[in-house]
Amino acid sequence: MIRAAVLALGLVLAGPAVALSCFPQDVAETYRRAAEAAETYIVVHGRLAFDPARLPSTDMIPQQKPAHTLIPARLTGQALTKGGFDQAFDRAITLDVQCFGPWCASAVPGTQYLGFLERRDGGYVLALDPCGGMGHAEPTPAMLDKALRCLQGGACTAERR
């Protein structure tokens, strides 16, 4: 959390001349963040629907971007249980699109996501940031298998970079 705040502050102070550099996300890393968090998460694989007009702009004109843009969305697919992605999930969620300085997360309606949804009093939230956040767009079968292995207590290690 502190690392992300320092990164965000550095990006804001550096201005738009600096490019954002992200390492590829690994499902095991996302799983670990969710498992170690104080908040409660569920893992869902499904199709994301929302109004793309509500996404924050992605231009590089120096201006203050909102840190969080909350967008009503729907995720339809299957929730992960110890048996696999075998529990129907079709719910309204909140898409939390985050910005680090001028760089904002993006998403495309109709895209399949492997989402780690935070359970809040008002429902479920999928947080996406410019480096991925808690969602993996267009997950491969290997990514889905890794999420299942992690839940079942099997090998849950990130790929080396």
Side-chain angles (χ1 to χ4, degrees):
M1 183 70 158
I2 292 173
R3 193 171 112 198
V6 169
L7 171 66
L9 179 61
L11 294 173
V12 170
L13 295 176
V18 176
L20 179 64
S21 178
C22 300
F23 291 108
Q25 280 201 121
D26 188 278
V27 170
E29 292 171 357
T30 309
Y31 187 92
R32 181 190 46 77
R33 282 196 322 264
E36 292 175 356
E39 300 79 15
T40 301
Y41 284 82
I42 64 168
V43 183
V44 177
H45 174 231
R47 189 165 308 281
L48 185 62
F50 66 96
D51 179 1
R54 300 188 70 158
L55 289 169
S57 64
T58 56
D59 57 47
M60 294 301 286
I61 297 171
Q63 61 186 3
Q64 184 68 12
K65 303 281 186 187
H68 299 268
T69 299
L70 302 179
I71 301 172
R74 183 161 210 91
L75 190 59
T76 304
Q78 303 291 320
L80 181 62
T81 70
K82 289 204 176 195
F85 287 93
D86 59 6
Q87 184 166 345
F89 186 92
D90 184 8
R91 296 194 182 180
I93 67 166
T94 299
L95 190 57
D96 179 2
V97 179
Q98 300 173 8
C99 297
F100 298 161
W103 298 278
C104 296
S106 187
V108 176
T111 300
Q112 289 283 330
Y113 267 87
L114 173 58
F116 291 74
L117 308 180
E118 180 186 343
R119 187 181 330 208
R120 295 186 186 166
D121 289 338
Y124 292 101
V125 176
L126 175 57
L128 301 178
D129 65 39
C131 293
M134 299 303 282
H136 298 265
E138 301 296 350
T140 64
M143 294 166 75
L144 299 175
D145 289 345
K146 185 179 281 190
L148 177 59
R149 275 195 317 275
C150 289
L151 179 68
Q152 291 174 335
C156 188
T157 56
E159 300 295 321
R160 291 200 166 258
R161 297 185 187 117

